[in-house]
Amino acid sequence: MEFSQRLDALQQRVAAAKADVQVAATESREQMRKRIDQAQGDLDRAVENAQQQAGQATDRARTKWAQMRADAEAKRADVKAKIDKRTREMDAKVAARDADWANADAADAIHFAESAVDNAQLAILDAIDASAYADELAKAAGS
């Protein structure tokens, strides 16, 4: 079924993100900026694809998920703006406070991802159940 393949792909993306984070922790700020710019470009393309899919969505549930994805993109844009602002900041106290906020945002993003996985699992189980029920009704009608 397609769901298993998509979950495998998601697992690979998480593994790649983890590897990137581990490498990034050892990089200079300049290298980090390049990595962030590349990640932002990738995210922009993903959001553009999501918006196209949302434009094609006809049912309420897909629109709700598309809105969640758009909200997540807005958050990513906010993070990018904060990173740009941080490069202009010179005060150590402000930088330390900004680092605390960035760490809290990262923790929140991970929590959101965990929640999204839980929601995806529930939605997949619902889709499988709905398909099984439809098949059951179709067989009963054919009897």
Side-chain angles (χ1 to χ4, degrees):
M1 176 163 258
E2 177 184 319
F3 295 127
S4 292
Q5 293 169 345
R6 293 188 66 190
L7 289 170
D8 287 343
L10 178 60
Q11 186 175 20
Q12 291 173 355
R13 288 179 62 190
V14 169
K18 181 179 178 183
D20 283 350
V21 167
Q22 289 171 332
V23 170
T26 66
E27 293 179 333
S28 69
R29 286 202 71 217
E30 182 59 33
Q31 291 169 313
M32 182 69 68
R33 297 280 299 154
K34 288 178 183 176
R35 183 179 294 276
I36 290 168
D37 288 343
Q38 180 182 354
Q40 185 65 47
D42 293 345
L43 291 171
D44 289 345
R45 284 185 292 283
V47 168
E48 191 173 303
N49 289 339
Q51 289 172 339
Q52 288 175 353
Q53 290 173 0
Q56 298 168 356
T58 56
D59 64 33
R60 187 173 175 274
R62 285 188 182 181
T63 302
K64 182 171 51 171
W65 287 111
Q67 182 59 48
M68 287 177 63
R69 290 172 79 177
D71 291 346
E73 169 51 28
K75 178 62 178 165
R76 287 189 287 271
D78 183 49
V79 169
K80 177 85 164 101
K82 286 179 184 177
I83 289 167
D84 291 342
K85 179 183 174 191
R86 185 179 307 127
T87 60
R88 296 186 302 268
E89 295 288 339
M90 296 299 197
D91 183 45
K93 289 180 183 178
V94 171
R97 185 176 38 199
D98 193 39
D100 290 342
W101 279 102
N103 284 315
D105 281 348
D108 288 345
I110 290 171
H111 178 71
F112 177 79
E114 292 167 342
S115 177
V117 168
D118 292 341
N119 285 324
Q121 179 184 11
L122 183 60
I124 290 168
L125 293 174
D126 181 48
I128 292 169
D129 180 62
S131 295
Y133 184 62
D135 290 346
E136 189 178 295
L137 291 177
K139 286 179 186 175
S143 298

